[in-house]
């Protein structure tokens, strides 16, 4: 726990920040990382991403791009040839603001001018950014600085949290949101985001599940690639594009006991089959940078792990971009007891493959590259070749970001770039598409001619918590005026109705003193909307919980509303799957809205009143209780599958094995049926592909959305295969009575798997079971054979 005094404010705190504007321009390009995998084994995994990639153009490096990369290469080489060792080391260190209220401060300006740092974290506002860039341009070689920030689910227009976006199962819309985020952030001068976070997790106690796409590698891969393409476009030198970072490499989501920053330890096959695919998909989509994880894997801290950072990332995946450490994580190698000194920490990190140290405070004990790299080079412990190669990566990043051609940010674009009508419309659409209807006992949708609505609960009129964690630095308290709460969304949706509000309790709900007012409001209204959930600060970094129920007395508040006997619905805002207990069993309607962002209140109203059909599906299982964790649909088989009539089978005495709500689950206001499962082949060779199709029909009376999901399972393999594994999906909107044939493709990369031999990817002969449904449970069944 060595957090510097410069550590930025907690993600949930919204601070008054400096706001302003910017622009860049120039070069067009795609990173070298867009090149395909080198080995046949790796390309098998690439096939998974290929399904998603097939829908999205732009992954192939064009001849023009190749020429540009070549030209960047010669410019970089020429610059490296003129740099001193100190200037080279400067490029490998990241600093942060040193002045009051997030301003640059003289220390930062001086170190940038002298070439001691090459990148800056957490500085926002175009005036600040241009001031620092002017100083960088005064350095001996005029090398610009690149400014990085956590732009996770929006910059000023805040979209639903990533777990919510994943619930949309709509990579195209997710890509669009990332593109809008890039447009807003770059207007302020930020050219580098530390996103997408793609850590697969089976443990909702871990607070960071909110930042990712849930428990599944296939869905996670689609979301990862979509975000990279949204941020970077076809080249992040464009004024409104930015470099993306896939993080946290690797397998951070497997922290033991769901405890933040804890150990991860797993088999090779689990690492490769479950946790690595989304990182690989992001790299294949051209992610410019990769961030190493705070955690250790199999006894080696990721920040010093050559197997992850060099063998897998560089050698197998042919990643050609920049690797950045996590926040002061190089120095933390000492806290691990892995390095015995700061110098050894720097040596271990750079030789393992960490290009840039996110030291933030420079110089300090946290900037080990600044302090020790020169000595390590002079003593021969770190080679000049390593330094030169790393500096090339950083300079290439800056060239690709267009910073050499256009280092300064246009102060005008920000005046019109943020919170545009189109961005807000996209935020409203995504919030609606991310909502998952968990229960509905004929209560929803509400009638728009309703005479009165009571809106109660801690999240009902709470713009700050509604945004969720990971709102960027610089998002000011005044920005909250653009947030539409559920209360205001409902007022706008039913302007003729009497809408009353009673909070009941705050989000921690330690006191029931406001319950009476909420109950009175419910009694007086035709229907009550209870908006419950977690405070934003309960999820995100450093926010693990051992109890993932509704906080405090929130369940009692809902029970008090239920006891009125009047109709009510529950809307949830939270950053993780919750154990809902009584609420899951009793709420007549339960809508999971996640933290829905700026337009969340309008989107909740859209869904409650039936303007939008809730078509989202869970990207993560909701356990019944914490004792079931880790929990996921894609577990491996056991030799003693649960059998209620046999005690000696794999189960609990006190709770079923099944989750409260499974992965892929979500209701709609209409009903769907699937029929006519058709496989294009009964057998294929190991290198063959086939298509799987089925007819989806809207059998209800209103238009609605469903997500067709394709799962497979194979027995008789050399490594046990998950009982089910997602291998394809498509979200569909159908009018009442409409039928659509959905066709999904299975390629070797989807059918094969990694063994415990490092890097070995195999497709094995045998029978493959196919399931097509709209959840990870049930569905149509078929089979095909892979021949030897
Ligand atoms: C987090 C990263 C983040 C970095 C910079 C760290 O504490 O783990 O996800 O990108 O800070 O803000």
């Amino acid at each position: 726990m060595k957090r510097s005094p410069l550590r930025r404010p907690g993600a949930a705190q919204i601070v008054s920040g400096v706001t302003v504007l910017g622009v860049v321009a120039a070069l067009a390009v795609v990173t070298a990382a867009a090149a395909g995998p080198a080995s046949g084994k790796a390309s098998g995994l690439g096939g998974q991403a290929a399904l998603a990639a097939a829908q999205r153009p732009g992954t192939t490096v064009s001849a023009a791009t190749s020429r540009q990369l070549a030209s960047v290469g010669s410019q970089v080489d020429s610059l490296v040839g003129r740099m001193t060792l100190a200037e080279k080391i400067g490029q490998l260190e990241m600093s942060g603001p040193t002045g009051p209220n997030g301003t640059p401060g003289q220390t930062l300006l001086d170190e940038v001018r002298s070439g001691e740092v090459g990148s800056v974290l957490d500085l926002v506002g175009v005036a600040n950014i241009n001031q620092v860039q002017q100083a960088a341009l005064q350095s001996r070689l005029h090398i610009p600085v690149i400014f990085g920030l956590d732009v996770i689910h929006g910059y000023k227009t805040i979209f639903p949290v990533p777990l919510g976006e994943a619930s949309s199962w709509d990579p195209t819309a997710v890509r669009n949101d990332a593109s809008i985020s890039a447009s807003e952030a770059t207007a302020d001068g930020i050219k580098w985001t530390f996103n997408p976070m793609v850590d697969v997790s089976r443990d909702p106690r871990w607070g960071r599940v909110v930042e990712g796409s849930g428990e599944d590698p296939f869905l996670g891969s689609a979301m990862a690639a979509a975000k990279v393409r949204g941020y970077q476009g076809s080249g992040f030198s464009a004024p409104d594009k930015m470099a993306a970072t896939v993080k946290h490499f690797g397998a951070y989501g497997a922290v033991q006991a769901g405890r933040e920053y804890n150990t991860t330890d797993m088999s090779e096959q689990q690492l490769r089959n479950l946790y690595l695919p989304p990182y690989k998909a992001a790299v294949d989509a051209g992610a410019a940078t990769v961030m190493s994880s705070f955690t250790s894997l199999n006894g080696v801290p990721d920040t010093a792990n050559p197997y992850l950072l060099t063998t897998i990332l560089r050698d197998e995946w042919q990643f050609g971009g920049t690797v950045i450490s996590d926040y002061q994580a190089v120095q933390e190698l000492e806290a691990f007891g892995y390095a015995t000194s700061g110098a050894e920490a720097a040596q271990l990190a750079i030789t393992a493959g960490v290009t840039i140290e996110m030291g933030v405070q420079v110089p300090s004990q946290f900037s080990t590259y600044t302090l020790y790299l020169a000595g390590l080079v002079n003593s021969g412990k770190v080679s000049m070749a390593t330094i030169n190669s790393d500096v090339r990566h950083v300079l290439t990043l800056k060239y690709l970001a267009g910073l050499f051609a256009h280092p300064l940010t246009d102060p005008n674009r920000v005046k019109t770039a943020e919170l545009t009508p189109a961005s807000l419309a996209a935020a409203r659409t995504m919030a609606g598409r991310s909502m998952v209807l968990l229960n509905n006992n004929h209560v929803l949708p509400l009638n728009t001619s309703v005479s009165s609505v009571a809106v109660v609960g801690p999240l009902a009129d709470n713009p700050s918590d509604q945004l969720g964690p990971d709102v960027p630095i610089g998002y000011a308290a005044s920005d909250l005026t653009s947030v539409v709460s559920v209360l205001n969304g409902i007022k706008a949706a039913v302007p003729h109705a009497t809408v009353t509000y009673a909070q009941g309790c705050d989000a921690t709900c330690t006191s029931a003193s406001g319950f009476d007012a909420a109950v009175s409001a419910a009694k007086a209204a035709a229907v009550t909307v209870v908006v419950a959930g977690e405070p934003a600060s309960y999820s995100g970094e450093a926010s693990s919980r051992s109890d993932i129920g509704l906080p405090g007395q929130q369940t009692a508040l809902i029970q008090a509303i239920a006891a009125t006997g009047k109709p009510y619905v529950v809307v949830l805002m939270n950053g993780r799957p919750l154990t809902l207990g009584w609420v899951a069993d009793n709420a007549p309607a339960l809508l999971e809205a996640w933290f829905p962002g700026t337009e969340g209140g309008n989107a909740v109203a859209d869904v409650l009143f039936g303007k939008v059909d809730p078509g989202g599906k869970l990207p993560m299982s909701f356990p019944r209780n914490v004792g079931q964790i880790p929990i996921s649909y894609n577990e491996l088989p056991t030799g003693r599958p649960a059998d209620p009539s046999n005690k000696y089978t794999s189960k609990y005495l006190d709770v079923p094995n099944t989750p409260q709500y499974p992965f892929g689950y979500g209701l709609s206001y209409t009903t769907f049926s699937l029929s006519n499962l058709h496989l294009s082949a009964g057998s294929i060779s190991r290198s063959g592909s086939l298509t799987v199709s089925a007819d989806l029909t809207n059998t209800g009376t209103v238009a609605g959305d469903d997500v067709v999901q394709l799962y497979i399972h194979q027995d008789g393999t050399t490594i046990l295969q998950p009982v089910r594994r997602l291998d394809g999906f498509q979200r569909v909107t159908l009018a009442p009575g409409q039928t659509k044939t959905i066709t999904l493709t299975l390629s070797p990369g989807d059918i094969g798997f990694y063994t415990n031999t490092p890097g070995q990817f195999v497709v094995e002969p045998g029978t493959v079971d196919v399931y097509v449904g709209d959840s990870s449970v049930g569905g149509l069944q078929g089979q095909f054979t892979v021949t030897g």
Side-chain angles (χ1 to χ4, degrees):
M1 261 300 290
K2 289 180 184 157
R3 282 296 176 219
S4 78
L6 279 184
R7 181 80 183 132
R8 70 234 185 274
Q13 289 171 259
I14 291 165
V15 292
S16 303
V18 198
T19 323
V20 212
L21 32 159
V23 157
V24 184
L27 273 145
V29 202
V30 158
T31 72
S39 73
K41 292 158 192 162
S43 69
L45 183 57
Q48 276 201 342
L51 238 186
Q55 303 160 2
R56 290 180 284 278
T59 47
T60 324
V61 176
S62 66
T65 299
S66 301
R67 278 196 300 280
Q68 281 158 339
L69 277 172
S71 106
V72 166
S74 61
Q75 288 166 289
V76 165
D77 283 343
S78 140
L79 203 45
V80 172
R82 287 182 284 142
M83 292 170 80
T84 64
L85 176 58
E87 285 166 338
K88 290 175 183 174
I89 292 168
Q91 291 304 309
L92 309 183
E93 189 67 80
M94 172 176 264
S95 192
T98 62
N101 304 318
T103 51
Q106 198 56 47
T107 307
L108 177 63
L109 291 168
D110 289 346
E111 60 197 18
V112 159
R113 199 174 286 112
S114 62
E116 282 170 72
V117 298
S119 49
V120 175
L121 175 73
D122 288 350
L123 186 72
V124 295
V126 73
N128 285 332
I129 283 179
N130 278 342
Q131 187 188 9
V132 173
Q133 196 67 290
Q134 294 282 12
L137 296 177
Q138 289 162 19
S139 63
R140 190 179 75 88
L141 292 169
H142 319 295
I143 299 174
V145 157
I146 185 164
F147 300 89
L149 187 73
D150 288 334
V151 181
I152 309 291
H153 55 113
Y155 189 67
K156 293 294 180 187
T157 303
I158 305 299
F159 294 95
V161 288
L163 195 60
E165 289 188 305
S167 305
S168 73
W169 295 59
D170 186 348
T172 305
V174 167
R175 176 182 177 163
N176 185 49
D177 295 350
S179 172
I180 291 168
S181 301
S183 176
E184 291 190 347
T186 53
D188 222 8
I190 314 292
K191 284 295 283 183
W192 188 8
T193 178
F194 302 117
N195 206 43
M197 184 280 215
V198 305
D199 304 327
V200 167
S201 183
R202 297 171 157 184
D203 197 329
R205 292 171 297 183
W206 189 47
R208 300 198 82 165
V209 299
V210 70
E211 292 177 60
S213 294
E215 72 190 39
D216 184 71
F218 188 89
L219 179 63
S221 295
M223 293 298 157
K227 288 182 188 182
V228 169
R229 294 189 174 106
Y231 291 124
Q232 295 190 172
S234 58
F236 55 93
S237 64
D240 58 351
K241 295 294 171 197
M242 68 201 310
T245 305
V246 57
K247 70 184 188 185
H248 308 82
F249 194 59
Y252 188 1
V255 282
Q256 288 181 1
R259 205 182 72 218
E260 183 62 308
Y261 312 127
N262 203 8
T263 304
T264 69
D265 203 318
M266 69 183 71
S267 67
E268 185 71 20
Q269 73 82 17
Q270 189 179 54
L271 175 70
R272 300 265 187 172
N273 291 318
L274 184 63
Y275 289 97
L276 293 191
Y279 308 102
K280 173 70 161 55
V283 166
D284 285 346
T289 65
V290 171
M291 184 186 292
S292 54
S293 169
F294 280 131
T295 42
S296 67
L297 175 68
N298 301 337
V300 180
D302 293 16
T303 312
N305 196 322
Y307 182 57
L308 282 175
L309 302 180
T310 299
T311 307
I312 294 178
L313 187 61
R314 297 269 185 218
D315 299 345
E316 290 183 29
W317 296 358
Q318 297 289 292
F319 175 65
T322 299
V323 175
I324 183 160
S325 80
D326 205 340
Y327 201 102
Q328 299 173 345
V330 178
Q331 193 271 338
E332 286 174 18
L333 293 172
E334 278 188 89
F336 266 111
Y338 196 72
T340 54
S341 64
E344 194 187 4
Q347 181 187 344
L348 287 167
I350 199 163
T351 52
V354 174
T355 320
I356 296 178
E357 174 179 48
M358 193 186 281
V360 191
Q361 278 180 294
V362 184
S364 75
Q365 72 196 89
F366 305 110
S367 59
T368 69
Y369 280 17
T370 301
L371 295 184
Y372 307 114
L373 275 186
L376 290 166
V377 170
N378 291 333
S379 65
K381 288 183 173 163
V382 170
S383 73
M384 192 55 108
T386 298
I387 300 284
N388 286 341
S389 158
D390 284 341
V391 172
R392 271 192 200 96
H393 286 310
V394 178
L395 296 178
T396 303
L397 174 69
K398 293 180 177 184
Y399 270 108
L400 295 180
L403 289 169
F404 280 95
H406 298 277
L408 294 172
T409 299
D410 172 357
N412 289 316
R413 187 162 70 88
V414 76
K415 293 175 187 162
T416 54
E418 295 173 346
L419 296 164
T420 65
S423 305
L424 292 171
R428 184 169 180 164
T429 300
M430 175 51 86
R433 288 177 85 73
S434 71
M435 287 178 202
V436 186
L437 185 61
L438 299 174
N439 287 1
N440 191 14
N441 192 11
H442 307 294
V443 181
L444 289 176
L446 301 176
N447 196 320
T448 48
S449 57
V450 66
S451 59
S452 55
V453 184
V455 181
V456 309
L459 279 299
D461 191 26
N462 185 340
S464 175
D465 281 330
Q466 178 180 311
L467 297 182
D470 299 303
V471 172
I473 286 186
Y475 191 94
S478 57
D479 292 322
L480 288 173
T481 55
S482 63
V483 179
V484 180
S485 71
V486 173
L487 175 62
N488 289 332
I490 288 177
K491 282 181 178 167
V494 284
H496 58 275
T498 304
V499 178
T500 53
Y501 168 66
Q503 187 192 35
C505 60
D506 70 16
T508 58
C509 208
T510 49
S511 162
S513 61
F515 285 17
D516 286 350
V519 167
S520 300
K523 282 182 177 161
V527 64
T528 298
V529 176
V530 189
V531 190
E534 296 178 297
S537 61
Y538 276 29
S539 58
E541 187 177 354
S543 302
S544 293
R545 297 179 70 197
S546 67
D547 171 356
I548 57 169
L550 284 170
Q553 300 178 54
Q554 287 194 39
T555 300
L557 172 64
I558 298 168
Q559 288 168 334
I561 301 299
T564 63
K566 305 278 303 255
Y568 75 100
V569 304
V570 178
V571 176
L572 295 171
M573 292 188 186
N574 44 289
R576 56 160 60 77
L578 299 173
T579 50
L580 291 163
W582 185 94
V583 176
D585 293 337
N586 293 280
L590 188 56
L591 179 68
E592 176 55 79
W594 305 109
F595 291 117
T598 305
E599 282 287 315
N602 281 331
V604 166
D606 288 343
V607 171
L608 292 181
F609 291 98
K611 192 169 162 189
V612 168
D613 181 55
K617 305 282 178 183
L618 293 179
M620 208 170 169
S621 311
F622 273 49
R624 295 173 192 275
N625 65 32
V626 287
Q628 292 182 306
I629 299 170
I631 186 168
S632 66
Y633 82 95
N634 52 359
E635 61 184 6
L636 295 184
T638 153
R640 293 189 172 194
D643 173 357
S645 63
N646 184 346
K647 177 174 167 73
Y648 295 95
T649 57
S650 179
K651 60 183 193 294
Y652 301 101
L653 292 177
D654 53 355
V655 68
N657 285 4
T658 54
Q660 183 78 53
Y661 301 109
F663 175 83
Y665 166 84
L667 303 171
S668 158
Y669 292 155
T670 187
T671 49
F672 292 95
S673 82
L674 274 161
S675 59
N676 295 333
L677 179 66
H678 176 73
L679 277 58
S680 64
S683 79
I684 57 168
S685 71
R686 290 193 205 201
S687 57
S689 297
L690 78 162
T691 59
V692 177
S693 59
D695 293 341
L696 180 71
T697 303
N698 180 344
T699 51
T701 53
V702 294
D705 278 27
D706 203 7
V707 179
V708 176
Q709 302 162 38
L710 166 64
Y711 296 88
I712 67 165
H713 169 74
Q714 188 176 2
D715 275 337
T717 46
T718 52
I719 293 287
L720 288 174
Q721 290 302 293
V723 292
R724 279 192 184 200
R725 145 187 176 193
L726 182 72
D727 255 340
F729 64 86
Q730 191 176 323
R731 182 167 176 155
V732 194
T733 305
L734 293 182
Q738 190 185 354
T739 296
K740 189 172 177 188
T741 302
I742 309 301
T743 303
L744 299 163
T745 304
L746 284 173
S747 303
D750 308 310
I751 301 161
F753 52 87
Y754 282 91
T755 70
N756 276 319
T757 303
Q760 184 184 55
F761 185 85
V762 295
V763 179
E764 294 187 351
T767 300
V768 178
D769 297 318
V770 173
Y771 305 89
V772 175
D774 59 1
S775 152
S776 58
V777 177
L780 305 174
Q781 290 186 33
Q783 273 187 345
F784 67 94
T785 306
V786 178
T787 56

